[in-house]
């Protein structure tokens, strides 16, 4: 089975609202944050699911990319 590829418009649909799963992209990888309590409702510290967040994770997040290793990968992101 091939990996799903998301672009900006496709990723935006997975915003954690109205029953949709919550996905975020970091460094070309799309992660499912739906089951993460901190991402309830598709929001986490002012960031929204359904977006590419590499600059936020690398530049502002106190935990950096290390928390991503436990998240399910649902595809890849290509802008």
């Amino acid at each position: 089975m091939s990996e799903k590829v998301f672009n900006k418009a496709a990723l935006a649909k997975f915003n954690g609202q109205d029953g949709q799963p919550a996905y975020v992209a970091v460094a070309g990888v799309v992660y499912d944050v739906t089951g993460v309590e901190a991402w309830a409702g598709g929001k986490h510290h002012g960031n929204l699911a359904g977006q590419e967040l590499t600059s936020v994770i690398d530049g502002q997040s106190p935990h950096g990319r290390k928390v991503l290793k436990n998240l399910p990968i649902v595809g890849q992101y290509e802008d």
Side-chain angles (χ1 to χ4, degrees):
M1 185 167 131
S2 65
E3 196 171 66
K4 185 162 177 59
V5 177
F6 294 83
N7 62 19
K8 185 175 183 175
L11 183 62
K13 296 175 184 176
F14 296 93
N15 61 8
Q17 303 291 310
D18 300 320
Q20 289 295 319
Y23 295 172
V24 297
V26 177
V29 178
V30 179
Y31 297 92
D32 185 344
V33 296
T34 305
V36 179
E37 188 175 329
W39 277 95
K43 299 175 185 174
H44 177 60
H45 295 294
N47 298 298
L48 302 175
Q51 297 185 15
E52 201 290 327
L53 298 176
T54 303
S55 63
V56 172
I57 293 291
D58 289 349
Q60 300 171 10
S61 172
H63 48 67
R65 294 187 191 187
K66 66 183 174 188
V67 297
L68 302 174
K69 67 179 178 173
N70 297 320
L71 296 174
I73 295 173
V74 293
Q76 61 185 28
Y77 180 79
E78 294 180 358
D79 194 10

